[in-house]
Amino acid sequence: DTGVSQNPRHKITKRGQNVTFRCDPISEHNRLYWYRQTLGQGPEFLTYFQNEAQLEKSRLLSDRFSAERPKGSFSTLEIQRTEQGDSAMYLCASSLSRGFYEQYFGPGTRLTVT
Amino acid sequence: QQQVKQSPQSLIVQKGGISIINCAYENTAFDYFPWYQQFPGKGPALLIAIRPDVSEKKEGRFTISFNKSAKQFSLHIMDSQPGDSATYFCAANLRTTSGTYKYIFGTGTRLKVLA
């Protein structure tokens, strides 16, 4: 399967712990996006990478959140000092930098903070 | 102004019927409008998409109708099947001055097709 992959698929953590998620985009895609989806809602934009450069961070991304994309390949999203309000599905998507902007999503990482 | 309003919230259709989901927007800077299908526990899957210079696009049983002047677009699912039962999201692409591309999603429509 050459689609977007995300790991882990599920993560249960206690409040105050740090968690890190990984996203592997489609190999030739140089744009990468992180979204957050809560139950019954549409995905909300968190951040965007063009190659290794992080070009925008949403106001939803507090100082406890950090994302990286070293060498423009895979990306990681870290949440420090998790809170119960961080419980959500974290989705990664990737796209080409040409064409019609189609974003292809991974299966997501479901985070539960207890 | 960056919102995309989606309706209805839920929809029940008989097998073989037509499912229609509507979305509306205000920001004329949106330049691409995809629809996604999402099953429980899965990521959204791209279904069909349209650019604002086209009024209609059809792919199999799925059709997007786009009304640029009214700032509205809709998804029509013809001959709806039980396997189409899922949550559908409309979205709009926004390209910012900083070079960012991001989707603004609607709130979703939960479709149930009765056998």
Side-chain angles (χ1 to χ4, degrees):
Chain A
D1 191 326
T2 57
V4 178
S5 61
Q6 291 187 246
N7 288 288
R9 294 293 309 279
H10 304 275
K11 180 71 177 178
I12 300 174
T13 190
K14 292 184 178 180
R15 189 176 56 187
Q17 297 295 305
N18 299 344
V19 294
T20 300
F21 311 140
R22 176 177 171 128
C23 170
D24 287 89
I26 295 171
S27 59
E28 64 267 28
H29 287 185
N30 58 351
R31 292 180 184 165
L32 187 145
Y33 316 76
W34 285 96
Y35 291 82
R36 181 170 66 188
Q37 186 177 26
T38 54
L39 204 60
Q41 298 297 315
E44 293 176 292
F45 172 81
L46 292 179
T47 192
Y48 163 72
F49 288 87
Q50 172 95 16
N51 298 309
E52 66 275 10
Q54 186 176 20
L55 297 186
E56 183 168 336
K57 289 175 61 174
S58 164
R59 294 173 190 173
L60 294 175
L61 227 56
S62 74
D63 292 344
R64 297 184 296 105
F65 288 72
S66 62
E68 294 182 342
R69 193 184 182 197
K71 302 179 183 178
S73 56
F74 70 93
S75 176
T76 58
L77 178 67
E78 181 184 15
I79 308 174
Q80 296 182 329
R81 304 181 303 282
T82 52
E83 302 173 355
Q84 286 188 325
D86 297 333
S87 295
M89 174 81 88
Y90 290 85
L91 293 163
C92 175
S94 69
S95 71
L96 291 167
S97 59
R98 62 184 185 278
F100 298 116
Y101 314 127
E102 296 97 338
Q103 293 185 26
Y104 296 91
F105 282 81
T109 294
R110 166 86 50 199
L111 173 66
T112 302
V113 182
T114 61
Chain B
Q1 194 181 20
Q2 286 198 7
Q3 283 186 326
V4 177
K5 296 182 179 179
Q6 183 172 347
S7 63
Q9 190 174 4
S10 62
L11 182 61
I12 299 175
V13 174
Q14 293 288 337
K15 179 182 175 181
I18 303 173
S19 304
I20 301 174
I21 304 170
N22 302 298
C23 285
Y25 64 96
E26 289 295 325
N27 193 339
T28 56
F30 291 146
D31 60 359
Y32 180 73
F33 300 88
W35 284 89
Y36 283 84
Q37 178 189 58
Q38 187 175 31
F39 293 102
K42 306 292 186 183
L46 180 64
L47 202 57
I48 187 173
I50 197 167
R51 294 176 67 90
D53 53 348
V54 176
S55 61
E56 185 175 281
K57 183 175 181 180
K58 183 177 181 179
E59 288 185 1
R61 296 185 294 110
F62 302 94
T63 300
I64 300 178
S65 296
F66 189 86
N67 186 328
K68 189 174 182 178
S69 60
K71 300 178 191 172
Q72 295 175 349
F73 58 109
S74 60
L75 176 69
H76 296 234
I77 306 174
M78 313 299 287
D79 187 26
S80 299
Q81 299 297 313
D84 297 330
S85 298
T87 299
Y88 292 81
F89 292 96
C90 63
N93 182 71
L94 181 66
R95 182 168 50 179
T96 71
T97 53
S98 65
T100 295
Y101 296 79
K102 59 183 175 183
Y103 283 172
I104 308 299
F105 280 86
T107 50
T109 296
R110 183 173 290 185
L111 171 66
K112 184 170 185 177
V113 181
L114 301 177

